[in-house]
């Protein structure tokens, strides 16, 4: 569990690697309901089986609430972020963290051969790095105490 590990490896080890999405012509209200139901902060917008955009809680707050619009009367396509920055499964954890930091977002779609294969959040990447550090600490403690290698 290193910074040089691929996002494909991170996706394989996620508790639930599911892609939750909405269509561009659904209401923002439906999208927010789906986010709440699944306990997530962003949804991919899929049209004709292709990634068309991403809708986050930030988009909702800034483009609906602050502008006084109604979430039931606003369509996802009106406020989604598009085009979408995405990565391939071959990108590394380090590269993805740099992309997320540069663009100031917390969710990054993973696309392979024009098909969405997953989404990683900044939380997923932080969890991955912390797990790797914990493993390194455990190995070092074993080495120092003479229990390493066995």
């Amino acid at each position: 569990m290193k910074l040089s590990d691929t996002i494909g490896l991170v996706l394989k080890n996620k508790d639930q690697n599911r892609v939750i999405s909405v269509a561009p012509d659904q209401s923002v209200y439906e999208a927010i309901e789906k986010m709440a139901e699944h306990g997530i902060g962003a949804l991919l917008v899929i049209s004709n089986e292709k990634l068309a955009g991403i809708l986050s809680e930030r988009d909702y707050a800034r483009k609906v609430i602050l502008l006084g619009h109604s979430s039931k009367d606003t369509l996802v396509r009106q406020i989604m972020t598009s085009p979408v920055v995405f990565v391939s499964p071959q990108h590394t954890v380090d590269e993805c963290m740099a992309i997320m930091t540069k663009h100031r977002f917390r969710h990054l779609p993973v696309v392979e051969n024009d098909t969405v294969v997953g989404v990683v959040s900044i939380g997923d990447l932080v969890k991955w790095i912390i797990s790797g550090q914990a493993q390194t600490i455990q190995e070092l403690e074993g080495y120092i105490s003479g229990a390493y290698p066995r």
Side-chain angles (χ1 to χ4, degrees):
M1 298 182 181
K2 306 175 295 264
L3 286 171
S4 59
D5 288 336
T6 66
I7 289 303
L9 187 58
V10 174
L11 288 177
K12 285 179 187 173
N13 285 281
K14 273 181 75 165
D15 292 335
Q16 293 183 327
N17 181 31
R18 57 191 174 167
V19 176
I20 301 170
S21 65
V22 290
D25 292 325
Q26 285 185 264
S27 74
V28 170
Y29 184 85
E30 292 173 297
I32 297 300
E33 269 187 328
K34 192 175 270 194
M35 283 187 215
E37 174 187 339
H38 293 281
I40 56 177
L43 290 169
L44 299 185
V45 183
I46 306 288
S47 179
N48 299 319
E49 299 182 22
K50 302 282 183 217
L51 181 62
I54 190 166
L55 178 70
S56 69
E57 293 168 329
R58 184 180 293 170
D59 292 320
Y60 175 67
R62 293 180 180 176
K63 299 173 188 173
V64 177
I65 298 295
L66 289 179
L67 298 178
H69 296 273
S70 164
S71 59
K72 290 187 178 182
D73 297 328
T74 304
L75 299 179
V76 167
R77 68 177 156 77
Q78 294 174 287
I79 69 162
M80 70 184 187
T81 298
S82 181
V84 182
V85 175
F86 61 88
V87 295
S88 74
Q90 291 75 37
H91 277 84
T92 65
V93 170
D94 189 41
E95 291 170 329
C96 291
M97 288 187 78
I99 290 167
M100 294 169 113
T101 300
K102 177 184 176 188
H103 294 284
R104 305 184 92 176
F105 50 67
R106 295 180 295 246
H107 300 89
L108 192 55
V110 183
V111 177
E112 187 170 40
N113 300 323
D114 291 331
T115 301
V116 176
V117 295
V119 177
V120 290
S121 70
I122 194 71
D124 295 331
L125 301 183
V126 169
K127 181 179 175 183
W128 185 263
I129 292 165
I130 289 171
S131 294
Q133 290 173 339
Q135 182 180 356
T136 300
I137 290 167
Q138 187 176 17
E139 289 170 0
L140 288 171
E141 287 174 343
Y143 178 76
I144 290 167
S145 68
Y148 182 83
R150 288 187 179 229

